[in-house]
C-alpha cells in the first residue's frame, strides 16, 4: 500500500544537501517519490509500506550524513520550538567565540592595525592557540558534514568551507611551526589564522540570522494553531461544564456566550448571534446566524448567546484541515525551485574545479610570492561560491506566500499552484453561486388555461422537491412561503442542464428550460416575447408542461421566473482582475439572454451560455487552445471537471465544507475580490522568488571571476577571503529577509 509520510530532518544547510537527500531516499527500493524542503527542514516521502520501514528511511537519511526524526511522532510543536531555541543558543555561542577570537587574531595580524595590539597577540603561536578552537570546535559541524558527504562521493557547501578554511589554517600552522622552511623558498613567514577564523565566524553568523528569520516564515501556521479555543462549555446531563477542547465529542451540546470563541464546528440548535468569521474566511463583516446555521470552530461570537451541536471535532474541524493543508502546501516544491536545486547540485563540483584552476594558474603564472596569492585566491573562490542562499530563495518565499494566503482565506494546495497563478490571463467564472449569490428567488408566475398561479407553483415545487439544484430550492421555498400543499411524485428524474421531470396523479410533467421543452416537443413560441422580456432583465425563466395521458402531447401550463442577485463583491472583484489585464469570461447553463443581461451588468463581454454541465470542461480546453492560461472559478461541486481541466482551479468554499481536494486554490470566503487577491499574491511571491534567486545566485556568478583574479591584471583588484565570507553571509540573510518582506505586501 502506498503511504505518504512527512518527517523532520536535521543537519541540512544548502541546496545540495536537498539533492543528496532526495537521491538517497529515492534510491530506497519501494520509495516512489521523495521531496526534501530546506526551509521547513522536512522530507515528504511516498512509499510502499510493505517494502519500506521507518528504519530503512532513517538509514537512507543517516547514510548521507543527516538525521531523520521519523519515529518520534509524539513530538509536539512545543518540543520542536524548544529544540530550535536550543540549537539557536548553541549557534550563537559559537558565533560569539569565533568572532571574538578571530577579532583578536586579526588585531594582532592585520598590517597597520597590529601596531596597536599587545605584543603577545602578535605572536604566531598565540594566534595558533586562539585559532584552534574556532577551527575545530566552532567549525566542527562543517567537518562532520563534509566527511559524510565524501563517504558518498558528493560535496556540498560545507565541503567548500572546509577546504577553504583548512587551506588557510594549515598553511598558517605550517608557517608558524616551520618558519625556516618558508623563508627558504623566499616567502616571509606570515600566518593567515585571522582569515580562517573570521570566515568560520561570519558563516556561522549568517546561519544564525538565517535560522532566526526562517522561524518567522512559519508564523502563519503558529497563528492558525493559536486560533484554537482551549476549552468548551458543554451541556451534559443538563449540567454545563468547561472541559478541554480535546475532550469534546461529536453530538455534544456546546454553549457559547458573548465574546467567546466557538470551540469546534457544529450546527446551532438554539439561540442566535452575529459571528466574526474573519480569522477563517478573511471576510471582515460579521455574519448573522440562527438555529440550523453552521458555525466554524475558532471563529468569534460577538453579541448573542447560543447552543450548538458539535459535528466535527479534533482533526476533522475546518481549522485543523486548513492547518494541515497549509503545512503540506508550504512543504511542497515549486517548479522554479527544481531548477534552482538542479543548478546548485552542479555548482559545488564546478566550484571545486574552478578553485583548483585558480590555484594552478596563480601558482604558475602569478606574481611572487605566487604560493600565497594562489592560496588566498583559492580560499576566496571557495567561500564566495557557496550556493547556500540558493536553497532558501524559493522555499522561504513559498512558505510566506502560502501562509499569507491562508490569513486572507485563500487556501493554496501547493507551491505549483501558487506559481502558475501568476501566469493566468483568462478567468472563467461560473455564473450561478459564483458570480451570483446562488439563492435565486421566484419573481413571476404566469399560468395558462385558466389554472391558478398557485397550482402552477405547487406542481413545480412538487417535482423540484427531489432536486438539489439551487433553482429547485427557490421554487420549493416560494411554495412553502405560500403554504401550498405538494403532491406525491413518481418516476422523478433530473436532466442535468435542462430541468426535471416526474409523474403526478398519472400525469407526466416536465419542468425546465427551453431546451427541455424542445426535446419534449412543447411549443412555446406563443410566449416567446414574454419570456424574452423577462430573460433580458436577467431573470431565468422555466416552463412547466403537462401531459394528460400517455400518447398525448405535452401542453405548456405555466412559466416561473426566478432572479438571482449578483454578489456585492462581484463588480469590484472583476474590475480588479481586469485591471490586472486578465480577461474575464462567464460560463453558465442558463440561456443566452439571461446570461448576457447579467454579463452586461458586470461588464463581462464574453459570455458562454447554454453550456451543459459536461461541456464546461470542453469550453475550458477550447480557451486553453487559444494559448491562454486559464483559471476556472466555480462552486466546487458540479464544476469539478472544469476546475480540474483549468490551469488553476479556484473553488469558492461554502463556508464549512471546504472542497479542498477538487481545486488548486480554495477561497473560503464567498467574496469575489479574493480571486484577484490570489493572483496578486502569486505575482508578488514570484517577484520575491526572482529577486531572491538574483541575490542568491547572480552575485555568486559575478564575484567568482573577481575572486579568481579576473580584475587583477587591470586594477590590481583581488577579493579578500574575509570579504568573501561577509558577502556570502549577507546574501543568505538578505534572501530570507526579502521573503519576510512579502508578509507586509498588500494583496487586496
Ligand atoms: P448553471 O450553469 O447556472 O449552474 P445548470 O447547468 O445547472 O446551470 O442548469 C442550466 C439550466 O437548466 C438552468 O438555467 C435551468 O434553466 C435548467 N435547469 C437545470 N436544473 C433545473 C431544475 N432542477 N429545475 C429547473 N430548471 C433546471
Ligand atoms: Mg452551477
Amino acid at each position: 500500500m502506498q503511504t505518504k509520510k512527512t518527517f523532520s530532518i536535521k543537519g541540512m544547510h544548502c541546496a545540495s544537501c536537498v539533492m543528496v537527500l532526495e537521491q538517497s531516499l529515492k534510491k530506497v527500493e519501494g520509495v516512489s517519490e521523495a521531496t526534501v524542503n530546506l526551509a521547513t527542514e522536512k522530507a515528504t516521502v511516498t512509499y510502499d509500506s510493505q517494502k519500506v520501514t521507518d528504519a530503512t528511511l532513517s538509514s537512507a537519511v543517516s547514510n548521507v550524513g543527516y538525521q531523520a526524526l521519523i519515529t518520534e511522532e509524539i513530538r509536539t510543536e512545543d518540543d520542536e520550538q524548544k529544540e530550535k531555541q536550543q540549537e539557536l543558543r548553541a549557534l550563537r555561542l559559537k558565533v560569539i567565540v569565533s568572532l571574538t577570537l578571530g577579532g583578536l587574531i586579526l588585531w594582532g595580524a592585520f598590517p597597520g592595525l597590529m601596531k596597536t595590539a599587545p605584543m603577545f597577540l602578535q605572536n604566531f603561536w598565540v594566534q595558533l592557540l586562539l585559532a584552534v578552537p574556532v577551527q575545530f570546535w566552532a567549525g566542527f559541524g562543517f567537518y562532520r558534514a563534509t566527511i559524510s558527504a565524501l563517504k558518498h562521493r558528493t560535496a556540498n557547501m560545507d565541503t567548500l568551507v572546509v577546504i577553504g578554511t583548512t587551506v588557510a589554517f594549515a598553511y598558517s600552522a605550517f608557517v608558524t611551526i616551520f618558519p625556516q622552511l618558508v623563508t627558504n623558498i623566499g616567502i616571509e613567514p606570515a600566518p593567515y589564522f585571522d582569515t580562517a577564523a573570521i570566515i568560520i565566524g561570519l558563516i556561522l553568523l549568517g546561519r544564525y540570522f538565517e535560522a532566526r528569520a526562517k522561524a518567522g516564515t512559519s508564523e502563519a501556521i503558529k497563528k492558525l494553531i493559536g486560533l484554537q479555543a482551549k476549552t468548551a462549555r458543554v451541556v451534559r446531563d443538563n449540567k454545563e461544564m468547561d472541559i478541554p477542547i480535546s475532550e469534546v465529542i461529536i453530538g455534544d451540546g456546546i454553549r457559547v456566550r458573548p465574546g467567546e470563541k466557538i470551540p469546534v464546528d457544529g450546527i446551532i440548535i438554539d439561540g442566535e448571534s452575529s459571528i466574526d468569521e474573519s480569522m477563517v474566511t478573511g471576510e471582515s463583516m460579521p455574519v448573522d446566524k440562527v438555529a440550523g446555521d453552521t458555525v466554524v470552530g475558532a471563529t468569534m461570537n460577538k453579541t448573542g448567546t447560543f447552543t450548538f451541536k458539535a459535528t466535527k471535532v479534533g482533526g476533522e474541524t475546518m481549522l485543523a484541515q486548513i492547518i494541515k493543508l497549509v503545512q503540506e502546501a508550504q512543504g511542497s516544491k515549486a517548479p522554479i525551485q527544481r531548477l534552482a536545486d538542479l543548478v546548485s547540485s552542479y555548482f559545488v563540483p564546478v566550484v571545486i574545479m574552478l578553485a583548483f584552476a585558480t590555484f594552478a594558474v596563480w601558482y604558475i603564472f602569478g606574481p611572487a610570492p605566487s604560493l600565497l596569492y594562489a592560496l588566498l585566491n583559492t580560499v576566496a573562490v571557495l567561500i564566495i561560491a557557496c550556493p547556500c542562499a540558493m536553497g532558501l530563495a524559493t522555499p522561504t518565499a513559498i512558505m510566506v506566500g502560502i501562509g499569507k494566503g491562508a490569513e486572507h482565506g485563500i487556501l493554496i494546495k501547493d507551491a505549483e499552484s501558487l506559481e502558475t497563478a501568476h501566469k493566468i490571463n483568462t478567468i472563467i467564472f461560473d455564473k450561478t453561486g459564483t458570480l451570483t449569490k446562488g439563492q435565486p428567488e421566484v419573481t413571476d408566475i404566469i399560468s395558462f388555461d385558466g389554472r391558478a398561479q398557485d397550482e402552477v407553483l405547487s406542481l413545480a415545487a412538487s417535482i423540484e422537491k427531489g432536486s438539489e439544484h439551487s433553482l429547485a430550492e427557490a421554487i420549493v421555498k416560494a411554495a412553502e412561503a405560500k403554504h401550498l400543499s405538494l403532491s406525491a411524485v413518481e418516476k422523478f428524474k433530473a436532466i442535468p442542464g435542462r430541468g426535471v421531470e416526474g409523474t403526478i396523479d398519472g400525469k407526466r410533467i416536465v419542468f425546465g428550460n427551453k431546451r427541455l421543452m424542445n426535446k419534449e416537443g412543447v411549443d412555446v413560441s406563443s410566449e416567446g416575447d414574454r419570456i424574452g422580456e423577462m430573460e433580458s432583465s436577467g431573470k431565468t425563466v422555466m416552463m412547466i408542461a403537462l401531459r394528460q395521458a400517455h400518447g398525448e402531447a405535452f401542453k405548456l401550463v405555466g412559466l416561473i421566473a426566478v432572479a438571482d442577485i449578483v454578489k456585492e463583491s462581484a463588480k469590484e472583484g472583476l474590475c480588479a482582475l481586469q485591471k490586472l489585464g486578465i480577461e474575464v469570461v462567464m460560463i453558465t447553463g442558463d440561456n443566452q439572454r439571461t446570461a448576457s443581461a447579467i454579463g452586461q451588468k458586470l461588464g463581462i463581454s464574453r459570455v458562454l451560455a447554454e453550456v451543459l454541465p459536461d461541456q464546461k470542461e470542453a469550453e475550458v480546453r477550447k480557451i486553453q487552445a487559444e494559448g491562454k492560461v486559464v483559471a476556472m472559478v466555480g462552486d466546487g461541486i458540479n464544476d469539478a471537471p472544469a476546475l480540474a481541466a483549468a490551469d488553476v482551479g479556484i473553488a469558492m468554499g461554502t463556508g464549512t465544507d471546504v472542497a479542498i481536494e477538487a481545486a488548486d486554490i480554495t477561497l473560503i470566503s464567498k467574496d469575489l475580490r479574493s480571486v484577484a487577491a490570489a493572483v496578486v499574491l502569486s505575482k508578488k511571491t514570484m517577484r520575491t522568488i526572482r529577486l531572491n534567486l538574483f541575490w542568491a545566485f547572480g552575485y555568486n556568478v559575478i564575484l567568482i571571476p573577481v575572486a579568481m583574479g579576473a580584475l587583477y591584471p587591470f586594477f590590481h583588484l583581488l577579493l579578500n577571503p574575509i570579504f568573501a565570507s561577509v558577502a556570502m553571509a549577507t546574501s543568505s540573510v538578505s534572501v530570507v529577509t526579502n521573503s519576510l518582506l512579502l508578509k507586509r505586501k498588500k494583496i487586496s
Side-chain angles (χ1 to χ4, degrees):
M1 209 189 66
Q2 288 287 308
T3 316
K4 198 169 169 181
K5 191 169 241 171
T6 300
F7 50 87
S8 298
I9 290 191
K10 282 170 81 170
M12 286 196 286
H13 296 303
C14 61
S16 44
C17 309
V18 171
M19 286 302 262
V20 170
L21 270 164
E22 282 183 357
Q23 273 163 10
S24 171
L25 283 166
K26 276 184 197 154
K27 251 188 243 152
V28 175
E29 171 137 6
V31 170
S32 52
E33 175 86 42
T35 42
V36 174
N37 187 306
L38 182 59
T40 55
E41 298 183 340
K42 289 203 161 92
T44 304
V45 183
T46 313
Y47 59 94
D48 182 343
S49 58
Q50 263 154 13
K51 288 193 194 147
V52 182
T53 63
D54 285 354
T56 34
L57 289 179
S58 180
S59 64
V61 171
S62 57
N63 274 344
V64 281
Y66 307 92
Q67 196 193 343
L69 306 173
I70 304 183
T71 41
E72 300 167 60
E73 279 178 70
I74 9 172
R75 273 158 38 102
T76 62
E77 205 72 16
D78 269 0
D79 289 344
E80 225 161 278
Q81 278 295 315
K82 259 186 227 142
E83 216 166 274
K84 285 240 165 80
Q85 288 302 325
Q86 238 166 35
E87 273 167 37
L88 267 182
R89 266 198 301 272
L91 192 53
R92 193 174 53 194
L93 182 66
K94 285 183 183 169
V95 170
I96 293 171
V97 170
S98 32
L99 286 182
T100 312
L101 297 182
L104 287 175
I105 304 172
L106 187 74
W107 191 16
F110 201 73
L113 207 65
M114 60 189 284
K115 290 190 193 74
T116 65
M119 269 318 281
F120 76 96
L121 276 183
Q122 296 178 33
N123 183 303
F124 296 168
W125 285 95
V126 173
Q127 293 181 359
L128 172 64
L129 210 67
L130 296 177
V132 165
V134 179
Q135 191 72 28
F136 300 107
W137 171 71
F140 180 68
F142 297 114
Y143 284 99
R144 194 180 43 203
T146 300
I147 289 167
S148 55
L150 285 183
K151 269 194 213 151
H152 297 89
R153 290 164 218 278
T154 62
N156 55 30
M157 183 198 130
D158 297 283
T159 319
L160 301 181
V161 177
V162 162
I163 303 177
T165 59
T166 309
V167 165
F169 179 87
Y171 171 77
S172 308
F174 187 82
V175 167
T176 307
I177 300 166
F178 309 108
Q180 205 51 51
L181 287 181
V182 189
T183 316
N184 282 351
I185 55 167
I187 298 175
E188 193 198 335
Y192 285 89
F193 288 120
D194 48 346
T195 302
I198 289 196
I199 287 174
I200 289 180
L202 285 175
I203 291 177
L204 290 176
L205 182 69
R207 280 194 188 169
Y208 174 74
F209 283 135
E210 178 191 309
R212 279 198 17 183
K214 241 161 57 176
T217 58
S218 57
E219 225 166 57
I221 286 282
K222 267 183 240 147
K223 263 194 214 161
L224 285 171
I225 292 173
L227 283 178
Q228 220 141 27
K230 302 259 178 321
T231 60
R233 192 169 189 82
V234 299
V235 189
R236 286 183 188 163
D237 309 325
N238 282 327
K239 260 194 297 192
E240 279 185 22
M241 51 185 166
D242 283 311
I243 59 169
I245 189 166
S246 56
E247 289 170 20
V248 177
I249 52 171
I250 289 175
D252 267 341
I254 299 171
R255 191 158 184 78
V256 184
R257 291 163 298 185
E260 275 182 347
K261 220 173 233 182
I262 296 164
V264 294
D265 298 1
I267 297 172
I268 299 186
I269 35 184
D270 184 31
E272 55 180 72
S273 186
S274 130
I275 294 169
D276 175 7
E277 298 193 323
S278 60
M279 49 294 286
V280 179
T281 63
E283 209 167 77
S284 54
M285 286 294 287
V287 199
D288 291 325
K289 303 229 168 175
V290 295
D293 284 344
T294 50
V295 290
V296 180
T299 57
M300 190 66 91
N301 180 28
K302 309 265 298 187
T303 46
T305 296
F306 62 90
T307 315
F308 76 97
K309 196 175 89 180
T311 54
K312 282 179 185 156
V313 300
E316 296 297 307
T317 62
M318 181 150 146
L319 183 69
Q321 297 276 335
I322 291 176
I323 291 172
K324 189 164 158 251
L325 183 85
V326 173
Q327 255 166 349
E328 275 174 14
Q330 285 187 325
S332 68
K333 208 164 259 199
I336 192 171
Q337 189 185 341
R338 293 193 189 278
L339 186 72
D341 283 353
L342 190 71
V343 171
S344 40
S345 72
Y346 286 108
F347 213 67
V348 173
V350 167
V351 165
I352 292 175
M353 285 191 302
L354 287 179
F356 272 119
T358 306
F359 186 89
V361 170
W362 278 93
Y363 188 62
I364 300 166
F365 303 107
S370 65
L371 177 66
L372 264 184
Y373 276 114
L375 279 177
L376 288 179
N377 290 333
T378 304
V379 174
V381 169
L382 288 168
I383 299 305
I384 199 74
C386 284
C388 174
M390 209 145 59
L392 293 167
T394 314
T396 51
I398 292 285
M399 277 181 82
V400 173
I402 287 181
K404 191 179 174 71
E407 282 171 25
H408 285 77
I410 301 165
L411 296 185
I412 301 159
K413 196 161 152 201
D414 52 27
E416 189 170 350
S417 310
L418 180 60
E419 182 175 336
T420 317
H422 87 284
K423 288 188 260 175
I424 294 171
N425 50 27
T426 306
I427 300 192
I428 309 175
F429 283 88
D430 174 49
K431 176 178 78 81
T432 322
T434 303
L435 289 174
T436 66
K437 288 200 165 161
Q439 293 154 348
E441 279 173 22
V442 173
T443 53
D444 308 76
I445 303 172
I446 296 158
S447 58
F448 306 120
D449 295 344
R451 284 174 199 270
Q453 285 187 359
D454 282 357
E455 193 191 337
V456 170
L457 182 59
S458 160
L459 281 177
S462 302
I463 297 201
E464 290 285 31
K465 198 90 189 156
S467 162
E468 84 312 320
H469 204 275
S470 61
L471 290 171
E473 257 171 63
I475 291 184
V476 173
K477 224 160 86 190
E480 276 169 359
K482 290 188 167 183
H483 304 289
L484 301 180
S485 59
L486 303 186
S487 323
V489 178
E490 288 166 70
K491 296 189 192 144
F492 167 82
K493 204 172 132 206
I495 310 146
R498 293 197 167 90
V500 286
E501 58 179 38
T503 306
I504 295 178
D505 291 337
K507 291 166 197 152
R508 194 79 187 140
I509 293 175
V510 290
F511 181 61
N513 57 13
K514 217 175 279 170
R515 214 193 290 234
L516 180 63
M517 295 301 133
N518 288 344
K519 188 178 137 239
E520 299 296 343
V522 185
D523 182 20
V524 294
S525 57
S526 59
E527 300 302 323
D529 287 351
R530 230 188 312 189
I531 294 172
E533 203 177 298
M534 288 192 280
E535 286 179 345
S536 302
S537 65
K539 292 173 184 172
T540 301
V541 183
M542 287 163 288
M543 298 138 228
I544 182 164
L546 186 146
R547 187 176 67 186
Q548 291 293 346
H550 203 79
E552 278 186 31
F554 275 107
K555 251 186 96 188
L556 192 64
V557 297
L559 303 176
I560 299 180
V562 302
D564 195 358
I565 307 167
V566 168
K567 279 186 196 166
E568 284 126 36
S569 59
K571 187 113 200 199
E572 215 179 307
L574 297 184
C575 238
L577 286 172
Q578 279 154 346
K579 257 192 220 132
L580 289 170
I582 293 172
E583 191 194 0
V584 176
V585 181
M586 181 169 100
I587 197 165
T588 178
D590 215 342
N591 71 84
Q592 185 70 49
R593 246 185 314 222
T594 311
S596 306
I598 291 176
Q600 207 161 27
K601 231 186 254 176
L602 290 172
I604 304 175
S605 47
R606 193 163 176 188
V607 174
L608 308 170
E610 287 165 51
V611 182
L612 290 174
D614 51 359
Q615 285 169 2
K616 284 188 180 170
E617 182 191 344
E619 291 295 331
V620 170
R621 293 197 194 281
K622 238 188 259 166
I623 297 183
Q624 280 172 327
E626 293 170 16
K628 300 278 171 59
V629 181
V630 179
M632 164 86 201
V633 189
D635 43 24
I637 306 154
N638 48 10
D639 302 317
L643 289 179
D647 297 287
V648 180
I650 303 178
M652 286 291 196
T654 48
T656 42
D657 66 341
V658 188
I660 282 171
E661 288 305 316
D664 300 311
I665 297 179
T666 304
L667 306 174
I668 307 179
S669 81
K670 292 181 179 174
D671 192 325
L672 283 167
R673 281 171 299 193
S674 38
V675 177
V679 176
V680 171
L681 178 65
S682 170
K683 284 188 196 272
K684 298 216 159 144
T685 308
M686 289 313 289
R687 206 172 302 151
T688 302
I689 290 176
R690 288 203 198 97
L691 191 62
N692 279 352
L693 285 175
F694 171 77
W695 278 120
F697 187 62
Y699 99 110
N700 283 19
V701 169
I702 296 167
L703 288 184
I704 289 175
V706 179
M708 291 175 75
L711 295 181
Y712 188 80
F714 314 107
F715 308 107
H716 276 252
L717 204 64
L718 286 173
L719 190 66
N720 186 314
I722 292 184
F723 288 129
S725 65
V726 172
M728 115 131 222
T730 321
S731 111
S732 314
V733 175
S734 59
V735 160
V736 181
T737 312
N738 189 40
S739 292
L740 288 175
L741 283 179
L742 182 59
K743 271 196 205 172
R744 305 228 196 104
K745 296 255 162 76
K746 265 181 81 72
I747 58 167
S748 62

